[in-house]
Amino acid sequence: MHESCAEASTILCPYLSRRDMRRVTDRRSTGVLPTNSAEKKPDRWVMWICRDFAAYVIDGMPLFRPEPYLRLRTFTYTDGGHLHETPDISPHP
């Protein structure tokens, strides 16, 4: 994904941008979350910025393996529940 597209999702995607937005259930009809999903959200999101990646299919599922990161962007929720970028405290490669 392009960095600008990922950045836009932190604003436009209600699931990411708002802490208290619940995940939509599986196809809105069964009332069940998809397999291997968790209802609880992480308290932070990390954007891994890299130059390239490799793609594989394992047991019919796509797997994307990124190259080492050039930088990381970390996002956390404010007390009001909105996502914002936090200072980069990650080690640099």
Side-chain angles (χ1 to χ4, degrees), residues 7-82:
E7 185 174 0
S9 73
T10 67
I11 298 165
L12 300 173
C13 174
Y15 181 73
L16 289 176
S17 66
R18 292 184 245 155
R19 179 188 58 220
D20 298 325
M21 179 63 73
R22 292 179 18 178
R23 183 176 179 157
V24 175
T25 58
D26 189 17
R27 301 296 159 244
R28 298 182 182 156
S29 60
T30 65
V32 177
L33 287 174
T35 304
N36 297 324
S37 295
E39 188 155 350
K40 187 176 177 185
K41 254 189 245 193
D43 63 351
R44 73 186 65 245
W45 300 90
V46 177
M47 193 181 298
W48 180 287
I49 312 299
C50 63
R51 290 258 184 237
D52 203 6
F53 65 93
Y56 308 93
V57 177
I58 298 177
D59 295 329
M61 296 294 292
L63 173 68
F64 298 94
R65 184 169 183 224
E67 293 289 321
Y69 66 86
L70 301 173
R71 61 192 167 79
L72 300 176
R73 293 176 64 184
T74 304
F75 298 81
T76 58
Y77 293 102
T78 64
D79 290 339
H82 291 85

